[in-house]
Amino acid sequence: MRVFWFLLLTMVVVVTAVTLAVVGGGGSAVLQDVEPQRFTDPLPTTRPVGRADVEALRLPMAARGYRMADVDEALSRLGAELAERDARIAELESSLAGAQASTVTTGTDLFEQPGDRPAGPDLFEHPGDRPAGPADPHTGGPARGEDDGR
């Protein structure tokens, strides 16, 4: 019976010592409080966000995953960047479409430099734009194989 009480008392002392060591009792803190990680926004503010910036993005961990506010902040920033790029792309596409439409109506080439056009005949002229060919001396009408524009 004495052995039983001795073992029980020894076990209580050991469990109490381990508990105090883990919890931090006895004047020295074994498990110190860890300062929570803070989100430092590595996304650039002076230039557009690139693929490398998104790949380098590391969000701090919380007890149950990621901090919701930090994730929301990063996602809203990326969403704003994408919306800005989409608006810029739409603006450029509409200006290009307008420029192409004016090229079709005026017949000018937007990318043509002065002196680019050859001095010879226009190879891309429309059939209605050219004057009638030489007249057939026998009939007085257009020569065979030529269109009279009608």
Side-chain angles (χ1 to χ4, degrees), residues 74-145:
L75 289 177
S76 66
R77 173 77 191 281
L78 291 173
E81 289 276 340
L82 288 174
E84 184 178 323
R85 285 185 185 175
D86 289 345
R88 179 71 176 142
I89 289 170
E91 175 187 335
L92 291 173
E93 285 177 343
S94 68
S95 66
L96 178 63
Q100 287 175 342
S102 69
T103 300
V104 168
T105 58
T106 62
T108 60
D109 186 6
L110 291 178
F111 302 107
E112 182 178 318
Q113 298 293 324
D116 281 352
R117 289 192 104 179
D122 188 3
L123 300 177
F124 299 106
E125 64 185 15
H126 299 288
D129 294 345
R130 64 180 170 205
D136 187 0
H138 301 291
T139 62
R144 285 189 185 153

Side-chain angles (χ1 to χ4, degrees), residues 1-13:
M1 187 71 152
R2 284 185 179 190
V3 174
F4 172 73
W5 288 110
F6 176 74
L7 288 177
L8 183 63
L9 182 63
T10 306
M11 192 184 313
V12 169
V13 169

Side-chain angles (χ1 to χ4, degrees), residues 62-80:
R64 298 177 116 185
Y66 294 103
R67 294 178 180 269
M68 193 180 312
D70 295 339
V71 173
D72 289 345
E73 180 182 339
L75 289 177
S76 66
R77 173 77 191 281
L78 291 173

Side-chain angles (χ1 to χ4, degrees), residues 23-77:
V23 173
S28 66
V30 175
L31 294 179
Q32 299 173 0
D33 290 334
V34 177
E35 185 175 325
Q37 296 177 345
R38 296 289 175 210
F39 180 59
T40 55
D41 188 9
L43 299 175
T45 57
T46 58
R47 62 179 172 79
V49 175
R51 179 182 178 146
D53 298 323
V54 175
E55 289 175 353
L57 180 66
R58 296 291 177 255
L59 299 170
M61 297 291 291
R64 298 177 116 185
Y66 294 103
R67 294 178 180 269
M68 193 180 312
D70 295 339
V71 173
D72 289 345
E73 180 182 339
L75 289 177
S76 66
R77 173 77 191 281

